[in-house]
Amino acid sequence: MEVRESVNSAYAERMNTQEMRSNFLITDLFAPGKVSMTYSHVDRMIAGGITPSGKALEIPVGKEMGTAFFLERREMGIINIGGAGTVAVDGTEYQVGPRDGLYVGMGAKELVFSSHKASKPAKFYFNSAPAHHTYPTRLVTLADSRKVALGSAEEGNKRVINQYLHPAVLETCQLVMGMTMLEPGSMWNTMPVHTHERRMEVYLYFDMPEDRVVFHFFGKPDETRHLVVRNEQAVISPSWSIHSGVGTGAYTFIWGMVGENQAFDDMDHVSMATLM
């Protein structure tokens, strides 16, 4: 597990490109046959990828956790961006197809991840956050998710937000998670921008060919920076930062949030006139 320390906004303003990438960008999430995890000190969020190929995988627990098992004091949200797979939670199997999600509540001891076909492995992307209450484990398919259509073709941001872990769909302790799908011809997300000092966020960008990139914008509204993000890479977005992106073509991204509340619309909107 890689550990990322917190970065304040004043220090971030002085970072060069490589420093920004090493602190905020997460790469190599989906190596076949491996579990990849990045532990952020920002709200203790863990983002990871699990790619079973040939044999089932379990999440290791190291010194970073300080617990007997991974979800002893945590909850987890999973969205599968690969082929069909199975997640066994304390012996109960959940069939998690492409674009399906799974919420796993605090206290689950045994998590086993497998792919239906080694030639087309599942790619289980997950976010995990500290929890203080146990809620039931539940499968949330793409069809089950709450859908919110936003944007327009004229503004290049026509998209559908699929809310998987959301108070309107199921109860969680603090984790909120979903997947935004841009329509063909649309390339912008979250513009005009906002911040939410009460919550941090992690973005995973995917559904992009090898030669496509997303320019992910972050930083304070009057000190913006950007990261060049490629397929199946993620960005840690601290609560003080904007989080917006534009691609060289359409893409999909998964967002996960933790913090003081679960109100999706609790945003501090930023005027376009103040962006710098």
Side-chain angles (χ1 to χ4, degrees), residues 94-234:
Y94 297 87
Q95 305 305 314
V96 185
R99 304 297 188 268
D100 287 347
L102 181 69
Y103 172 74
V104 186
M106 182 184 73
K109 291 184 177 181
E110 186 180 52
L111 304 174
V112 182
F113 300 82
S114 58
S115 298
H116 291 183
K117 293 182 179 180
S119 59
K120 192 176 181 181
K123 294 180 179 180
F124 298 109
Y125 174 72
F126 74 87
N127 289 162
S128 176
H132 62 267
H133 184 83
T134 298
Y135 290 101
T137 295
R138 179 177 158 187
L139 180 71
V140 183
T141 67
L142 176 59
D144 294 333
S145 66
R146 180 175 182 260
K147 293 171 173 53
V148 180
L150 291 175
S152 66
E154 291 77 12
E155 294 181 320
N157 63 356
K158 190 175 182 180
R159 62 203 188 276
V160 175
I161 300 174
N162 302 279
Q163 298 170 336
Y164 289 74
L165 275 58
H166 183 278
V169 179
L170 54 75
E171 286 188 292
T172 66
C173 188
Q174 67 161 327
L175 185 60
V176 182
M177 197 172 179
M179 180 174 68
T180 299
M181 304 172 71
L182 273 70
E183 296 287 341
S186 287
M187 294 165 286
W188 279 99
N189 77 72
T190 325
M191 182 62 75
V193 299
H194 63 260
T195 61
H196 28 69
E197 286 283 353
R198 297 153 295 282
R199 291 175 293 168
M200 66 85 71
E201 194 161 6
V202 179
Y203 272 36
L204 170 73
Y205 291 99
F206 64 105
D207 275 354
M208 297 190 290
E210 186 176 344
D211 62 348
R212 184 171 299 172
V213 300
V214 170
F215 289 82
H216 177 93
F217 298 101
F218 71 102
K220 299 285 278 189
D222 60 348
E223 283 285 350
T224 58
R225 303 289 187 272
H226 76 269
L227 287 169
V228 176
V229 185
R230 292 176 169 80
N231 189 48
E232 297 179 358
Q233 295 181 343

